[in-house]
Amino acid sequence: MPWLCSLVAGMAGLGINQFGLPIFGGTELIFGGWLPLLVTYAFGGLPGTLAAAIAFGLTPLSWGHPWGLFCFGLEPLFVSWLMPRLRGRLRASAAYWLFIGIPMVAVGVFVLSNFPFPSNWAVVLKYPANSLLMIMIAVPVYHSPWSRRWLGTITNEPALPLQRVLFQRFGVIVALTIAVLAILVGRNFDQTLRNVAETALARDAKEAARDIGNDLTDHRRALSLAVRQTSANATPEELAQRLETLRSEFGGFLTLLAADTRGEIIAAAPATSASGEPLAHRGIFITDRPYFREPMTNGRPFMSEVFQGRGFGGDLIVAVSAPVLDARGQPTLLLEGSLKLSALLEFKPPPGYLRGRSLLLLDHTGRAVAGSGVLAHAALTDLTNDPVVVAGRRAGEQAYVVDLASSQHGRERYVVARAVVPGCNWQVYLTEPIWSTQRLIAAYYLATFVAAGVAVGIALLLARITAADVTGPLNRLVVSIQALARQETVAPFPTENLSASRELAELGLAAHEAALLLSRANRELAVSLDEQSKTHQQLRQVLLHLDDKVRQRTEQLEEARQQAESANRAKSEFIASTSHELRTPLNVILGMAEVLLERTLGDLNPRQHESVAAIEESGRHLLSLINDILDLSKIEAGKLDLDIQETEVRSTCEASLRFVRNAAQRKQHTLEFECPADLAPIAADPRRLKQILVNLLSNAVKFTPDGGRVRFEVVPHTDPAEVHFRVIDTGIGITPEQQARLFQPFQQIDGALNRRHGGTGLGLVLARRMAELHGGRITLESVAGKGSCFSVILPMRAVEKPVPRAPTLAPSPAYAAPAGTHVLIAEDNDTNVLIYQRSPIFAACRFSFARNGQEAITAALADRPDLILMDVQMPVMDGLTATRRLRADPRTADIPIITVTALAMTEDRTRCLEAGATSYLSKPVNLRELARHVAEALTRPAQS
């Protein structure tokens, strides 16, 4: 039994130890050690040591050192030996850690290992604290009845006095609760402070990089400005004066010089070298220097690599130069300045973010330019493989932790942040000791545990006093109960010193009366239990019937849910099918109308042109109704996604006004527009926002009598941050009864058979739903007969930077494919084929035809086309399958394929593009849109 319990406890402890609690910068507490201690208390040191060896067996791998296994493995052996001698489990554990455990860990951490500061101290102090937590768990568990019964030790120890029970069950539990709470709060405090410190360090590193970059940029701009102000025919005296002025204004220049086209120095500042000899007109040539050759060759400014100076000391410098160009753009002079990097790094006054920190500056090749503190390195040392630099490349812009050599602690842990100097790709590394943050955590833990110790001591003292007060009256109460059991006369309680136990004394006096009532209560209880049993049987019958009813109702609800889902799927399939069937004839109607209007088949007289235009306008109106129905279906199904991007408010409003301007002019309306010129862009879907505004403007024009007024205004609000789009008309107005059904699908305010205004009643429904998808709303203020005011209210959300898009080719309406272009048309509708053939886009093209996907593949392999127009729904093989096979065949993989289909749902477009289509068009096809897609397909590079 002991060894079996030892194995079970060890395996359970091993599992618990896999879930540690990191505290104090990553030092980990584990909670599986209480099980080996429990085995030690029950069976002795050897089983406890076996359980500890199993429970802590993986700590050398997870912690990287064996000291945890040694200390926790030896603890059960020594504690079992010390318990009878010190007469207490807490005393035995305290003696072990004070004289054996802590010295062993200290030697392992400080002498035999290379732990960085402050982790070394945290590891040493962690072990006794972790053991104390395990003891506070093991002691109450060991004394619990179920634990002693399971372990078989219930008869091994006598019953404890009440004082000891209060101490072990309340004092230890109070101490454990306070300790765990302090650890959890300290862990969160530690993590918060570390996050704040890392964020501040990363911010300060960027600020240092920005300061260096600004200083370097200022000097380069100053030199460029001097070049622009210098004449190509300037004399050496003028050049020397300009260079001296520039050097006095910008102290970062160590030297400045001017050279002619032969590379000879003709002016310098300072004018003499370090030895006192003049620099100009002394036959000193710089033609071999990169800062002369590069700008004189390409005519552009130049900045050299970092190098060590020679003439004016051994400082690290960077040469910046620029040519002076004549009227023909030819270099005639060169101005060069040597920047002393130490001067660029002398912040005056020193910024606060450098106090107590170390800074390292690397050039773009990874060489050390400057450094301080623990990051100091010899000039131009290659640090590409330095641990700090390697870790920085992996961390990116996030702060990270490294261990570095320290003069104060030997080896110390630091937090490092990396930033790139703008304009030159140099790197700045800023570091500070992690102890600067963790000293607050250490102080917190010290104060918390001192306060917890005081609180626990007070609690234990009160527990001892309370136990002493309660024990006396309870002993007298036991005597009284025993007398009642023997039917003897109960002796009265003494009345002295009853201040702490008066209630117990009263209880003893009432015990005799309670015994007399006990037998009567037992008889009544038996009768009550019998009645309760009958009631219980009846209740079970009711519950059985209730279960049957609940099951039947659940089955009915499940059947109703399945029917609803089936109906929803049928509705979606019906809408998609209806859209396809309507778009197919609409493609013929609109396509033929466009062909006629383009006069491809000959000129039209005015009446014919007017008739064809009416056909196209009616077809477009029918197409918009189909699109409205699809949009409403997508919104109700939760499948309408918004393309949120930066949207210019004024341009969107003006584009919306253009849609209704002709209709307003026909009705002689006064159309007014007001929008602040400085209104910032908002985050919105520009197409859907325009659709909302066009719907409201169209309704205002439609319901306003001839000669009325329609006003469109944009009003920004700051509290809350919103923008209001208001459409105000002087139309027929809306009564309160009509407003109740205004935003219902397929409802209009004049819904009678003789209504005077057309429409499906979907415009306002879509407008409101799309406004809600934007996080906004639509409000209405109206008076019947006087007009209405619709307001679209959208939040002024933060605008993310738009993703730059590749420019698209926008051909003119008269675009035509190049003569001789071979176009393969895969289409099973002859009228649609006829539209393509008669379209001016393909007037000079050569055609081949296929009525299904299989014929399209065969035709493409037989005579390779330049372009394929692919329908989707065709017999034998659909267009998507044909497109995939054409893309999989190397002989046809790069042929442009434009999918032209009546499937107009969003997922249909995605399926076509995923199958390999170059672009996608939904029927009915607009010939101008088709011309744009054809031009893009024929001019884009071949697909790889």
Side-chain angles (χ1 to χ4, degrees):
M1 178 64 180
W3 300 106
L4 177 61
C5 290
S6 177
L7 291 174
V8 172
M11 295 302 296
L14 179 64
I16 296 174
N17 284 339
Q18 304 310 307
F19 305 94
L21 178 65
I23 62 169
F24 199 70
T27 305
E28 187 179 60
L29 292 179
I30 53 178
F31 300 94
W34 67 273
L35 288 164
L37 288 177
L38 187 63
V39 173
T40 302
Y41 298 157
F43 305 114
L46 291 178
T49 300
L50 175 61
I54 297 173
F56 296 96
L58 295 180
T59 55
L61 299 177
S62 59
W63 292 352
H65 57 82
W67 315 122
L69 177 61
F70 290 164
C71 292
F72 290 123
L74 293 176
E75 182 180 13
L77 198 63
F78 281 92
V79 167
S80 66
W81 180 71
L82 291 172
M83 277 193 305
R85 292 165 176 79
L86 299 179
R87 291 182 294 182
R89 296 177 178 84
L90 288 176
R91 297 189 189 95
S93 294
Y96 166 75
W97 283 104
L98 183 62
F99 297 104
I100 299 176
I102 293 179
M104 183 190 305
V105 176
V107 171
V109 170
F110 290 109
V111 178
L112 302 179
S113 300
N114 191 22
F115 281 85
F117 176 83
S119 296
N120 48 9
W121 284 100
V123 171
V124 171
L125 297 176
K126 178 192 76 171
Y127 288 106
N130 205 156
S131 177
L132 179 61
L133 288 175
M134 299 304 97
I135 294 170
M136 288 190 288
I137 297 175
V139 168
V141 171
Y142 174 73
H143 286 290
S144 62
W146 64 267
S147 174
R148 300 182 66 182
R149 188 179 300 108
W150 179 73
L151 293 174
T153 60
I154 193 168
T155 59
N156 292 350
E157 294 186 7
L160 296 176
L162 181 60
Q163 294 183 3
R164 293 285 300 276
V165 171
L166 291 175
F167 172 76
Q168 293 178 353
R169 296 192 180 180
F170 294 100
V172 174
I173 292 175
V174 169
L176 177 63
T177 303
I178 295 176
V180 171
L181 181 61
I183 290 172
L184 293 177
V185 174
R187 177 176 178 269
N188 293 335
F189 186 34
D190 183 12
Q191 187 64 40
T192 301
L193 283 182
R194 286 191 60 184
N195 291 340
V196 170
E198 290 175 357
T199 301
L201 189 67
R203 183 190 64 243
D204 293 342
K206 293 180 180 178
E207 186 174 351
R210 185 170 59 251
D211 290 346
I212 295 172
N214 291 341
D215 205 354
L216 186 62
T217 301
D218 290 344
H219 285 77
R220 294 173 65 183
R221 288 177 178 172
L223 183 67
S224 298
L225 180 61
V227 168
R228 289 196 297 270
Q229 294 175 347
T230 301
S231 171
N233 300 321
T235 63
E237 291 76 11
E238 293 174 343
L239 293 173
Q241 182 178 2
R242 187 175 300 279
L243 295 179
E244 189 60 40
T245 301
L246 183 62
R247 184 169 177 267
S248 63
E249 292 178 354
F250 292 87
F253 284 116
L254 179 65
T255 61
L256 288 161
L257 58 86
D260 58 16
T261 56
R262 297 177 300 129
E264 182 182 3
I265 298 176
I266 60 175
T272 60
S273 64
S275 59
E277 296 181 358
L279 294 176
H281 301 292
R282 299 281 297 176
I284 302 176
F285 291 88
I286 57 172
T287 53
D288 60 330
R289 309 296 172 87
Y291 59 77
F292 176 83
R293 296 196 310 269
E294 292 290 335
M296 294 299 284
T297 300
N298 56 37
R300 293 193 298 269
F302 174 78
M303 186 175 80
S304 72
E305 303 284 347
V306 178
F307 61 92
Q308 203 154 13
R310 292 171 292 181
F312 287 85
D315 293 318
L316 292 181
I317 61 176
V318 171
V320 293
S321 59
V324 177
L325 306 178
D326 58 14
R328 295 176 299 171
Q330 297 298 319
T332 60
L333 295 171
L334 176 82
L335 298 187
E336 183 269 340
S338 296
L339 296 179
K340 182 180 179 182
L341 293 181
S342 60
L344 294 179
L345 299 179
E346 292 174 357
F347 301 104
K348 298 177 181 179
Y353 57 74
L354 290 180
R355 297 190 184 99
R357 294 171 173 172
S358 301
L359 184 141
L360 173 65
L361 178 63
L362 305 182
D363 65 4
H364 69 280
T365 63
R367 297 179 302 169
V369 175
S372 63
V374 296
L375 297 181
H377 293 277
L380 299 182
T381 302
D382 186 3
L383 299 180
T384 305
N385 297 321
D386 187 82
V388 175
V389 178
V390 173
R393 286 197 297 268
R394 291 196 299 265
E397 295 185 357
Q398 302 294 327
Y400 55 97
V401 176
V402 295
D403 298 334
L404 300 174
S406 170
S407 59
Q408 185 176 1
H409 300 287
R411 182 176 172 81
E412 188 170 357
R413 182 155 291 178
Y414 290 83
V415 181
V416 185
R418 171 180 174 268
V420 178
V421 177
C424 59
N425 205 26
W426 292 0
Q427 302 173 52
V428 170
Y429 293 84
L430 193 64
T431 182
E432 68 177 1
I434 200 172
W435 175 243
S436 62
T437 300
Q438 290 191 333
R439 63 162 56 94
L440 298 176
I441 307 300
Y444 162 80
Y445 278 123
L446 178 61
T448 300
F449 281 109
V450 169
V454 173
V456 171
I458 294 174
L460 296 180
L461 179 61
L462 293 176
R464 182 178 294 275
I465 295 173
T466 302
D469 288 340
V470 173
T471 301
L474 283 180
N475 289 333
R476 299 187 188 96
L477 181 58
V478 170
V479 173
S480 299
I481 294 174
Q482 291 175 348
L484 287 174
R486 294 191 300 269
Q487 297 183 352
E488 298 176 354
T489 303
V490 178
F493 279 6
T495 57
E496 66 276 5
N497 281 335
L498 294 180
S499 60
S501 56
R502 182 171 58 254
E503 293 81 3
L504 294 176
E506 295 175 354
L507 178 63
L509 293 175
H512 181 68
E513 184 178 354
L516 296 176
L517 298 174
L518 183 61
S519 60
R520 186 184 311 121
N522 284 337
R523 289 193 299 270
E524 295 176 353
L525 180 61
V527 174
S528 176
L529 288 176
D530 184 60
E531 294 178 352
Q532 183 180 6
S533 177
K534 295 179 181 179
T535 305
H536 181 67
Q537 293 295 333
Q538 295 173 355
L539 182 61
R540 289 186 59 186
Q541 294 296 326
V542 172
L543 289 177
L544 289 175
H545 291 300
L546 181 61
D547 288 341
D548 293 337
K549 292 182 179 179
V550 170
R551 184 166 51 255
Q552 293 174 2
R553 184 57 178 165
T554 302
E555 292 175 354
Q556 292 173 357
L557 292 176
E558 177 64 22
E559 182 179 357
R561 185 187 65 81
Q562 293 177 356
Q563 291 176 354
E565 290 181 352
S566 177
N568 189 47
R569 286 194 299 270
K571 183 191 74 172
S572 298
E573 293 173 359
F574 171 76
I575 292 175
S577 176
T578 303
S579 171
H580 177 271
E581 295 302 323
L582 291 175
R583 286 174 182 274
T584 300
L586 267 180
N587 184 58
V588 176
I589 294 171
L590 293 178
M592 285 300 185
E594 283 195 70
V595 169
L596 292 173
L597 290 175
E598 292 290 338
R599 294 179 172 82
T600 305
L601 303 179
D603 292 334
L604 302 176
N605 60 46
R607 294 183 63 186
Q608 290 173 335
H609 187 278
E610 182 180 355
S611 300
V612 174
I615 292 173
E616 185 192 25
E617 181 179 357
S618 299
R620 296 295 176 193
H621 179 67
L622 180 57
L623 178 60
S624 67
L625 297 182
I626 296 171
N627 290 334
D628 285 347
I629 294 173
L630 287 178
D631 285 343
L632 182 60
S633 175
K634 293 176 185 176
I635 292 174
E636 291 179 345
K639 295 182 179 180
L640 183 66
D641 297 325
L642 298 180
D643 182 16
I644 300 297
Q645 56 183 274
E646 182 180 279
T647 303
E648 293 289 342
V649 175
R650 188 176 186 89
S651 60
T652 303
C653 294
E654 291 174 347
S656 303
L657 284 170
R658 286 195 292 270
F659 274 88
V660 300
R661 193 175 301 278
N662 290 336
Q665 289 175 354
R666 286 195 298 268
K667 300 184 71 174
Q668 298 179 350
H669 287 165
T670 300
L671 201 58
E672 300 175 355
F673 175 57
E674 181 178 348
C675 177
D678 57 347
L679 186 60
I682 64 172
D685 185 330
R687 185 170 72 89
R688 297 301 182 183
L689 176 57
K690 187 187 302 179
Q691 186 175 354
I692 296 171
L693 299 178
V694 169
N695 273 328
L696 296 182
L697 289 168
S698 298
N699 281 347
V701 172
K702 181 195 303 183
F703 292 102
T704 300
D706 293 353
R709 181 172 62 88
V710 176
R711 177 175 176 80
F712 182 25
E713 60 184 24
V714 181
V715 181
H717 287 250
T718 57
D719 189 14
E722 296 175 337
V723 58
H724 292 214
F725 301 86
R726 305 180 66 193
V727 178
I728 308 167
D729 62 61
T730 58
I732 62 176
I734 307 172
T735 65
E737 295 77 12
Q738 293 170 336
Q739 294 181 25
R741 66 174 187 272
L742 187 62
F743 290 98
Q744 298 299 321
F746 305 104
Q747 294 286 333
Q748 283 199 330
I749 61 175
D750 58 340
L753 292 176
N754 60 348
R755 65 185 183 180
R756 296 179 293 110
H757 306 282
T760 62
L762 291 178
L764 288 178
V765 177
L766 289 173
R768 187 181 68 172
R769 301 285 179 84
M770 290 178 183
E772 291 171 350
L773 289 177
H774 280 83
R777 62 192 185 278
I778 294 181
T779 63
L780 168 62
E781 300 174 7
S782 182
V783 178
K786 295 185 178 181
S788 305
C789 174
F790 285 87
S791 296
V792 180
I793 303 172
L794 300 183
M796 293 283 287
R797 295 182 294 183
V799 180
E800 298 180 357
K801 288 189 175 180
V803 179
R805 301 182 179 180
T808 58
L809 183 62
S812 66
Y815 173 81
T821 301
H822 181 193
V823 180
L824 170 59
I825 301 175
E827 171 66 67
D828 61 340
N829 188 300
D830 295 335
T831 308
N832 288 334
V833 174
L834 188 60
I835 293 173
Y836 296 141
Q837 290 178 293
R838 293 180 177 179
S839 170
I841 304 172
F842 306 110
C845 295
R846 178 169 62 91
F847 294 98
S848 56
F849 307 97
R851 299 188 63 84
N852 56 62
Q854 185 61 55
E855 292 182 6
I857 295 174
T858 303
L861 293 175
D863 186 5
R864 175 186 171 88
D866 300 309
L867 176 67
I868 299 177
L869 300 179
M870 180 74 72
D871 189 19
V872 172
Q873 291 189 325
M874 296 185 293
V876 182
M877 180 186 294
D878 62 84
L880 295 181
T881 304
T883 300
R884 294 189 188 97
R885 294 189 180 182
L886 288 171
R887 287 288 181 246
D889 193 328
R891 295 171 293 178
T892 59
D894 59 345
I895 299 176
I897 301 175
I898 300 178
T899 300
V900 186
T901 176
L903 300 174
M905 304 295 281
T906 303
E907 55 268 23
D908 297 325
R909 179 181 186 276
T910 303
R911 288 168 52 209
C912 293
L913 296 180
E914 288 178 349
T918 306
S919 61
Y920 162 90
L921 281 172
S922 63
K923 296 177 182 177
V925 177
N926 182 282
L927 294 182
R928 295 171 183 264
E929 187 70 9
L930 177 60
R932 184 176 68 82
H933 282 262
V934 170
E936 291 178 353
L938 292 178
T939 56
R940 71 172 55 191
Q943 297 182 10
S944 58

